[in-house]
Amino acid sequence: MDVVLVVSVAALAATGVLMVYSATRGPTDPPDRSFLVRQALFVTIGAAVMVVVTLVDYRRLRDWAWTLYGAMMLGLLGVLSPLGQQSKGAQAWFGFGAFQVQPAEFAKAVLILTLAAVLAMWAGDIDLRRLAVLLGVSGAPMALILLQPDLGTVLVLVSIVLGMLLVAGLRLRYIVALTLVGLIGVVGILNSNVLKQYQKDRLTAFLDPGRDTQGTTYNVTQSQIAVASGGLTGEGLFDGRQTQLQFVPEQQTDFIFTAVGEELGFAGAATVLGLYGVVMWRIWRTAQLSRDLLGTLLCVGVLSMLAFQVFENVGMAMGIMPVTGIPLPLLSYGGSSTLTTFASLGLVLNVHMRRFR
């Protein structure tokens, strides 16, 4: 068991529960504890899922890859039907009473397992025909998620695919070509009718943060104010003005890093980023220690997912990256994201435990 990784993950998850409570408790007494209770429940269930994933040999989990892939596709199709729920312009959830399930979040872990199984079977021998198959396997869930529409999750999946293909041995010129195609695709989406106008405005707001500060750039402006207010040591837990008066929209989910920056300051934010650094270092170390290509690719897929999400989310909170709605792993409020992150880290611990056999 990689104790350093487990302790770092536990510290991040505990910080997330605390900051979600701070962002949602409200300015009046008694404070609202409903988000605190639910996020603590998500973390508890997520930790249990991580243990289960860790205990089942990852070479046996490979046998379930295509079954899980089929279930994922059914979920993504189902959420686009009348069974799905629409919220904030995207039809991305199933509702179960007070809880919601977002299939696109689970697609991240399932795609990592499926691609790792296929690439390991081919042992790094990827010709154009096989590359086309891989792009088809990866592109199908991306197309369904784009119909929701959820460009942020699609970008996370793209980062996973590129990271795994690179380590699996795909030639660099193909990687460069795929990256260019991806960039052209993003530009095409921004100039099409796939996204609504307010979603396009939100994605491009970081390019001109001084434009329409009460409208399209309101989120970015308020998040920058919150982060800048923290100074070196922060305004104190539960004492951040921007956080407690709830000036930052969606602060408990997409903008949870602003609560860290405002209330815990540069020292707290640097500590959180340092913990993410430790997590990524341990994942990369496990990828190198793995005794087979399957284990290495599983770790690289998880590393690509987490690295892109942390970079994009923190950059978004500081106003230097587009607002894409990507959660900050282990810190943002949300059951689907929390469970997916814990399950993915369970895959890494799984590989680490079996590095000698």
Side-chain angles (χ1 to χ4, degrees):
M1 178 67 72
D2 188 341
V3 177
V4 175
L5 177 59
V6 172
V7 170
S8 300
V9 168
L12 283 169
T15 303
V17 172
L18 192 61
M19 299 318 300
V20 165
Y21 175 52
S22 182
T24 57
R25 62 196 296 273
T28 59
D29 286 325
D32 182 359
R33 293 190 174 87
S34 59
F35 284 87
L36 168 69
V37 171
R38 276 181 281 184
Q39 184 62 16
L41 177 63
F42 296 150
V43 169
T44 302
I45 296 174
V49 169
M50 183 174 72
V51 171
V52 171
V53 173
T54 302
L55 293 178
V56 181
D57 192 321
Y58 65 92
R59 288 157 290 201
R60 293 183 62 189
L61 289 175
R62 172 178 51 189
D63 299 335
W64 288 87
W66 287 109
T67 302
L68 293 172
Y69 183 88
M72 171 193 72
M73 292 299 292
L74 287 176
L76 293 174
L77 284 168
V79 83
L80 294 172
S81 74
L83 296 174
Q85 287 187 350
Q86 190 174 70
S87 177
K88 299 165 188 170
Q91 185 157 337
W93 293 269
F94 290 119
F96 298 96
F99 296 93
Q100 290 182 312
V101 174
Q102 188 176 5
E105 284 293 330
F106 298 113
K108 299 172 186 173
V110 173
L111 188 60
I112 290 171
L113 180 61
T114 306
L115 287 182
V118 175
L119 288 168
M121 180 177 66
W122 290 340
D125 183 11
I126 309 171
D127 55 20
L128 281 177
R129 185 183 63 81
R130 288 178 171 177
L131 178 60
V133 172
L134 290 169
L135 294 180
V137 170
S138 308
M142 290 184 200
L144 293 176
I145 294 170
L146 202 54
L147 289 176
Q148 296 179 3
D150 183 357
L151 181 60
T153 300
V154 170
L155 294 176
V156 176
L157 296 182
V158 169
S159 70
I160 291 171
V161 173
L162 289 178
M164 295 181 72
L165 287 177
L166 183 63
V167 173
L170 184 65
R171 294 175 183 175
L172 186 59
R173 65 172 181 269
Y174 292 145
I175 295 289
V176 173
L178 289 175
T179 303
L180 290 174
V181 170
L183 291 174
I184 293 171
V186 170
V187 173
I189 290 169
L190 291 175
N191 288 282
S192 70
N193 294 323
V194 173
L195 301 179
K196 295 180 175 62
Q197 187 57 47
Y198 78 91
Q199 292 173 312
K200 297 177 186 177
D201 292 339
R202 192 177 61 179
L203 283 166
T204 57
F206 78 105
L207 297 173
D208 186 9
R211 170 173 56 94
D212 192 16
T213 56
Q214 295 301 312
T216 56
T217 62
Y218 179 80
N219 288 32
V220 175
T221 302
Q222 296 302 318
S223 64
Q224 287 178 316
I225 292 173
V227 172
S229 300
L232 181 60
T233 58
E235 296 187 356
L237 188 62
F238 308 142
D239 287 331
R241 183 172 178 273
Q242 289 285 109
T243 298
Q244 298 308 313
L245 296 181
Q246 301 181 337
F247 280 121
V248 183
E250 308 298 333
Q251 192 173 27
Q252 74 275 15
T253 54
D254 302 345
F255 287 91
I256 192 65
F257 190 74
T258 63
V260 177
E262 183 184 28
E263 298 196 339
L264 305 182
F266 175 80
T271 301
V272 167
L273 293 179
L275 286 170
Y276 279 121
V278 172
V279 169
M280 292 176 198
W281 162 50
R282 301 304 289 187
I283 295 174
W284 179 245
R285 179 177 177 271
T286 302
Q288 293 178 308
L289 292 174
S290 172
R291 62 171 297 143
D292 56 30
L293 183 59
L294 176 63
T296 299
L297 290 171
L298 287 172
C299 294
V300 169
V302 176
L303 179 62
S304 301
M305 177 186 76
L306 294 181
F308 182 81
Q309 289 193 213
V310 171
F311 177 77
E312 160 59 24
N313 184 282
V314 173
M316 178 181 73
M318 294 191 295
I320 59 174
M321 293 294 286
V323 179
T324 55
I326 294 175
L328 188 58
L330 299 171
L331 260 72
S332 289
Y333 172 79
S336 301
S337 171
T338 302
L339 294 182
T340 298
T341 304
F342 272 107
S344 301
L345 291 166
L347 289 173
V348 176
L349 291 170
N350 194 325
V351 175
H352 186 272
M353 282 180 61
R354 294 168 177 83
R355 64 193 183 281
F356 298 124
R357 53 192 169 99

